[in-house]
Amino acid sequence: MAAAAAALAAADPAPAVSQAAGSGGATSRRDFYWLRSFLAGGVLSTLRAVPQKEGYLGLYKGNGAMMIRIFPYGAIQFMAFEHYKTVVGFSLLSL
């Protein structure tokens, strides 16, 4: 997959027209940065290799630890948002 990402990056030509002309030169290159990063990481080969070695549940390894981290964070964010919404809402009404 790294070879595919390198080929994709090499095939991406430099813009022939300036960005001021409306071609989108550097901006269009940045738009596909995530795709090149995704391919360079070899994720597609991993999606094939992990189920062969560990079964499909192997794709979820580490997900439980992530949920232990995310649930308290999300709860605090939600609680703080609701609290600040009521505080700001009342203070705006008193002005």
Side-chain angles (χ1 to χ4, degrees):
M1 284 297 137
L8 180 63
D12 194 13
V17 204
S18 71
Q19 189 171 351
S23 68
T27 304
S28 64
R29 288 185 123 181
R30 275 185 273 145
D31 290 343
F32 291 105
Y33 175 76
W34 67 270
L35 179 62
R36 288 195 300 265
S37 297
F38 181 77
L39 290 174
V43 175
L44 297 176
S45 62
T46 302
L47 289 176
R48 199 173 23 213
V50 170
Q52 287 176 352
K53 290 181 181 178
E54 303 178 26
Y56 286 101
L57 290 178
L59 294 171
Y60 293 97
K61 265 190 177 175
N63 194 41
M66 182 62 77
M67 291 299 109
I68 291 171
R69 182 182 84 107
I70 294 295
F71 282 146
Y73 171 78
I76 291 169
Q77 289 287 91
F78 181 75
M79 180 190 67
F81 175 77
E82 290 297 320
H83 176 72
Y84 291 135
K85 186 172 71 171
T86 58
V87 169
V88 170
F90 287 134
S91 67
L92 290 177
L93 292 175
S94 64
L95 292 176

